[in-house]
Amino acid sequence: MPTYSTNEFRKGLKIQIDGIPFQMIEMNFRKPGKGNALYECKLKNLIRGTVTDKTYRAGQTVEAADVSEFTAQFLYKQGENYVFMKSDDYEQYELTPDQIGDEAKFLKEGMDCQLLAFNDNPIGVTLPNHVILQVQYCEPAAKGNTATNVSKPVTLETGAEILAPAFINIGDWLRVDTRTGSYIERSKDPNEA
């Protein structure tokens, strides 16, 4: 099994501790006055979703997680669960709301995503960095309010609420960053060729 040394630690790294996969969501390097440098890490358990803190000394190694990613298309929501289909062999997978997490608010039927699998069982999903979604509801813009830094809450077709500039109207298409949940720009209808 491959290993990572502390000098290879970075955000997003997937490691394995006692047979359980974790993802580094934060890593801070600290050099105390005496002794070895310390790597303080926040690790997310990829099975349970819990977050734990762990500190490593410089030079320590950790086991790489035996996880893989594959492309799958989001088909539909069935009850509480989300159904995905693997693109190459049409096999279907169901993920629970806990496995999807906050990503669910940007999921749209037909969207291609990356499913994260551990021991060939899907345990999580990664959405594209940017998605184009239509505004379902927002307050009308106030006349004469053309300041560019004024924002208002808008509700997107998936039910997600984000802040967008005051000039956005119902029916507009917006490009949204799925990692931060923030507005990027107004876009064209993705269905028009």
Side-chain angles (χ1 to χ4, degrees):
M1 182 64 66
T3 60
Y4 294 111
S5 177
T6 51
N7 63 343
E8 297 175 282
F9 283 9
R10 64 188 172 353
K11 185 177 177 179
L13 188 71
K14 294 175 180 73
I15 64 171
Q16 192 164 303
I17 302 171
D18 299 327
I20 299 170
F22 287 85
Q23 180 174 7
M24 265 185 212
I25 54 176
E26 196 176 300
M27 193 281 297
N28 295 308
F29 174 79
R30 190 166 58 88
K31 176 79 169 109
K34 290 185 192 176
N36 288 346
L38 300 174
Y39 293 82
E40 297 168 338
C41 305
K42 271 197 192 306
L43 303 171
K44 180 180 179 185
N45 183 320
L46 292 174
I47 306 268
R48 284 194 239 118
T50 57
V51 175
T52 185
D53 293 323
K54 196 147 175 69
T55 303
Y56 295 94
R57 295 198 180 283
Q60 282 186 294
T61 59
V62 292
E63 207 175 318
D66 184 22
V67 295
S68 61
E69 283 191 321
F70 58 89
T71 302
Q73 185 180 54
F74 173 58
L75 296 179
Y76 52 87
K77 190 172 176 185
Q78 181 173 330
E80 288 291 309
N81 294 338
Y82 298 83
V83 180
F84 293 84
M85 179 179 66
K86 194 171 178 181
S87 303
D88 56 359
D89 63 5
Y90 306 111
E91 191 169 336
Q92 292 187 7
Y93 301 94
E94 274 193 37
L95 273 75
T96 65
D98 290 339
Q99 291 173 314
I100 303 280
D102 288 341
E103 310 277 10
K105 62 185 174 186
F106 297 115
L107 266 177
K108 185 177 174 182
E109 289 182 8
M111 179 185 288
D112 283 335
C113 306
Q114 293 294 316
L115 287 189
L116 182 67
F118 179 65
N119 292 337
D120 296 325
N121 294 319
I123 58 172
V125 66
T126 304
L127 298 184
N129 292 341
H130 305 123
V131 293
I132 297 174
L133 299 170
Q134 190 172 28
V135 175
Q136 289 301 111
Y137 178 78
C138 65
E139 293 294 328
K143 292 254 188 256
N145 193 355
T146 57
T148 56
N149 61 352
V150 177
S151 56
K152 63 182 178 183
V154 299
T155 303
L156 303 173
E157 62 184 296
T158 59
E161 280 196 14
I162 65 166
L163 288 176
F167 59 80
I168 298 298
N169 297 309
I170 294 174
D172 285 352
W173 292 89
L174 306 181
R175 183 181 302 274
V176 178
D177 188 327
T178 59
R179 299 164 294 185
T180 60
S182 59
Y183 164 87
I184 298 173
E185 63 185 358
R186 223 175 354 184
S187 187
K188 292 183 176 152
D189 183 343
N191 303 318
E192 291 178 4

